[in-house]
Amino acid sequence: MSISLRHYFYKCYTCGLQVRTAVVLAVYKKSLHLSLKERHTFGNGGGPGEIVNLVGIDAQRMQDLMTYLHAVWYSFFQIGLAMYFLWGQVGASCLAGVVVIVVLIPVTKFVAGWLSGIQKILMKARDERVSLNNELMNAMK
């Protein structure tokens, strides 16, 4: 099991790295074709900061997605298989674990929403910081 799991993660990380490289390359090529005016008004007005976030943060998220994308379907299969084997060993008391999982779903949703809000604030601050640094560098020229 451990060898096959390690091989699975190795393949997922390799595929994720290829996806990340493709995203970084695409954003970089696109940014080379933009004029200076277009670069400063890119996206929601974030300018160069937003381009840097696309290259750094969003490309990393695409890479991470490759690793955990299959968890959407195999988690149900894994829980079902575990429940089948546990039922044979401990009987109906194995349902307590399923109840805990079901009860924690709303809690997980709340925490994920809260973290998403914090992440948006952090991304906006990063955009502003990179734009300010870019403005300072242009002023030094």
Side-chain angles (χ1 to χ4, degrees):
M1 172 76 178
S2 181
I3 293 173
S4 63
L5 189 62
R6 293 294 143 215
H7 184 69
Y8 163 75
F9 278 116
Y10 169 74
K11 288 293 188 183
C12 286
Y13 283 128
T14 304
C15 181
L17 189 59
Q18 291 171 345
V19 167
R20 180 179 182 191
T21 303
V23 169
V24 168
L25 183 66
V27 171
Y28 183 70
K29 279 185 175 179
K30 178 66 177 176
S31 69
L32 288 177
H33 288 59
L34 294 175
S35 68
L36 187 59
K37 182 180 177 186
E38 290 172 328
R39 281 187 207 149
H40 285 289
T41 60
F42 182 79
N44 298 327
E50 196 164 340
I51 294 173
V52 169
N53 277 342
L54 282 175
V55 170
I57 311 308
D58 295 343
Q60 181 65 41
R61 285 184 180 168
M62 291 294 290
Q63 180 180 358
D64 295 342
L65 176 69
M66 290 293 111
T67 307
Y68 301 106
L69 184 64
H70 294 292
V72 172
W73 68 268
Y74 78 69
S75 296
F76 295 109
F77 179 70
Q78 197 172 23
I79 290 170
L81 198 60
M83 291 301 299
Y84 173 76
F85 288 122
L86 278 173
W87 190 275
Q89 295 294 318
V90 295
S93 61
C94 69
L95 295 176
V98 174
V99 170
V100 169
I101 291 171
V102 170
V103 166
L104 287 178
I105 288 173
V107 174
T108 304
K109 183 180 178 188
F110 171 76
V111 170
W114 179 64
L115 288 174
S116 175
I118 291 174
Q119 183 69 24
K120 286 179 184 175
I121 293 169
L122 183 63
M123 293 293 283
K124 189 173 184 177
R126 285 181 181 157
D127 283 345
E128 290 172 4
R129 186 193 73 210
V130 170
S131 293
L132 181 63
N133 282 341
N134 189 36
E135 192 174 317
L136 286 171
M137 293 299 216
N138 285 335
M140 287 180 178
K141 289 182 183 178

